[in-house]
Amino acid sequence: MKNRPNEGSGTNILLMGTDGRDTITRKEKRTFHAGGVACNCTDTLMLVHVSEARDRVSVVSLPRDSYADIPAHRDEATGEERPAHPGKINGAYAEGGPALSVRTVEGMTGVRVDRYLQLDFRRFMDSVETVGGVRVCTPRALKDRTTKLDLAPGSHLLNGGRSLQYVRSRHVDLSADFGRIQRQQRFLVAALRSVRTENVLADPVRAARLGRLLAGSARVDRGFSTEQILALAADLGRLPASSMEFTTVPVSGFSETLNGALQWDRAKAGKVFAALGQDRPLTPRDSKARLSDPPRFGSPVTVRGDTLECR
């Protein structure tokens, strides 16, 4: 691929959660309110940086409705050559699959993506079941009119289907996708904790199943093999949550040329991506910053992973 960002220290992984739902059953669609017509796009995009020393993980969430410059490519659906054009970042996957999503993110961030990981509804749900469920906590009631998520304040052990409701919900309050991103970040911390506390990687059968689920069947240049997935999980499993940091790319408002698209704050976002490219932390190790719940538009905060854990 031409004109890619230079390689930096550490490893950059693009985590993509797609809205692919053809592999879940009709009953599951009804039970977990996951029906409807899929757009074949990315509902979740996280740029994950694992430091060269394997002692820090930085996660930057990219809102699905971000304004993007999608590179020239061959459209997967029509086979036609398409010139570069503006669009929402989640639409790159629909037009050109994971490879185009990677190219789009690299062009927008200036960060070289070394590997990517994609999960559809089935693989997500089965992965959660394999680790024995994921425990999440909420200080307030969470109700979503679309996914029918309904959680009372407190701690909840979620199975695969309820976890899907949790990470998909964006109508809990007026924070829309920013609230959903916050819950996705909390969920990632909780999922890694489940892998560790349930000793999943110490069980060869469960570990192999989890690795196969996460790796999927794709055979592409920058996807993961099962062995690479498990090696990464082992590295992350040794890290305390305080060695992880989370933020959302800063935004300045809505695009004037593309309806409903979020415009990134280029100056602030540039500093975030420069830190990733230079293998530098996003926030001091002793930071006590916490996310507001619900989040406030346009004022993302970088927090340590232990502030997102259940207490």
Side-chain angles (χ1 to χ4, degrees):
M1 187 186 302
K2 297 180 180 179
N3 301 321
R4 296 186 62 204
N6 294 328
E7 291 187 15
S9 299
T11 303
N12 298 310
I13 303 160
L14 184 61
L15 176 60
M16 297 181 281
T18 71
D19 73 339
R21 62 196 71 183
D22 293 343
T23 52
I24 65 174
T25 66
R26 291 183 178 179
K27 181 179 180 180
E28 287 171 327
K29 289 179 181 179
R30 291 194 302 270
T31 302
F32 303 116
H33 300 273
V37 178
C39 68
N40 190 34
C41 55
T42 47
D43 271 348
T44 302
L45 280 171
M46 291 181 175
L47 188 55
V48 181
H49 175 80
V50 183
S51 68
E52 183 75 18
R54 291 293 195 267
D55 62 351
R56 185 184 70 256
V57 175
S58 304
V59 180
V60 182
S61 292
L62 312 177
R64 52 169 278 171
D65 290 328
S66 297
Y67 178 97
D69 293 310
I70 299 178
H73 63 280
R74 182 187 296 274
D75 192 292
E76 282 207 335
T78 66
E80 297 178 358
E81 294 289 343
R82 297 199 64 184
H85 62 279
K88 292 182 179 179
I89 196 172
N90 66 334
Y93 185 91
E95 293 186 29
L100 186 60
S101 289
V102 167
R103 290 177 60 200
T104 301
V105 169
E106 286 187 338
M108 294 176 68
T109 64
V111 174
R112 188 182 183 97
V113 175
D114 302 298
R115 297 282 178 185
Y116 68 80
L117 180 66
Q118 60 182 97
L119 293 174
D120 60 13
F121 286 6
R122 172 85 280 146
R123 286 165 60 191
F124 175 84
M125 291 168 61
D126 289 351
S127 297
V128 172
E129 295 291 346
T130 299
V131 303
V134 172
R135 183 169 297 281
V136 301
C137 302
T138 175
R140 61 190 178 99
L142 300 177
K143 292 187 177 183
D144 187 284
R145 64 179 183 274
T146 301
T147 66
K148 305 304 180 184
L149 176 73
D150 189 357
L151 296 181
S155 173
H156 305 270
L157 181 63
L158 305 182
N159 62 13
R162 295 185 74 204
S163 292
L164 184 67
Q165 289 175 292
Y166 181 84
V167 300
R168 291 186 64 227
S169 293
R170 64 196 301 256
H171 300 290
V172 170
D173 48 47
L174 297 180
S175 61
D177 203 38
F178 290 96
R180 176 165 68 170
I181 284 172
Q182 183 180 115
R183 286 184 288 278
Q184 291 170 349
Q185 293 174 346
R186 292 183 186 279
F187 187 87
L188 181 55
V189 172
L192 290 171
R193 180 181 179 85
S194 291
V195 171
R196 183 170 60 252
T197 58
E198 293 297 317
N199 291 318
V200 174
L201 300 183
D203 182 334
V205 174
R206 293 175 75 191
R209 174 172 170 75
L210 180 63
R212 288 194 300 269
L213 284 169
L214 295 177
S217 60
R219 294 293 180 265
V220 285
D221 289 344
R222 288 193 304 282
F224 276 99
S225 68
T226 300
E227 293 76 15
Q228 289 168 330
I229 285 282
L230 294 178
L232 176 65
D235 285 342
L236 298 185
R238 287 188 283 269
L239 289 179
S242 59
S243 293
M244 303 183 71
E245 51 187 5
F246 292 81
T247 195
T248 302
V249 63
V251 299
S252 58
F254 291 95
S255 169
E256 296 180 358
T257 58
L258 189 64
N259 185 38
L262 290 168
Q263 198 79 48
W264 291 1
D265 184 316
R266 285 295 171 182
K268 293 180 180 179
K271 292 180 181 179
V272 171
F273 298 126
L276 296 190
Q278 297 166 15
D279 199 22
R280 292 187 287 106
L282 302 177
T283 192
R285 182 66 180 267
D286 59 354
S287 171
K288 302 300 182 184
R290 306 185 78 87
L291 293 174
S292 60
D293 186 16
R296 296 184 297 274
F297 179 86
S299 58
V301 175
T302 302
V303 298
R304 311 302 302 187
D306 56 327
T307 69
L308 303 179
E309 287 187 307
C310 287
R311 296 296 181 187

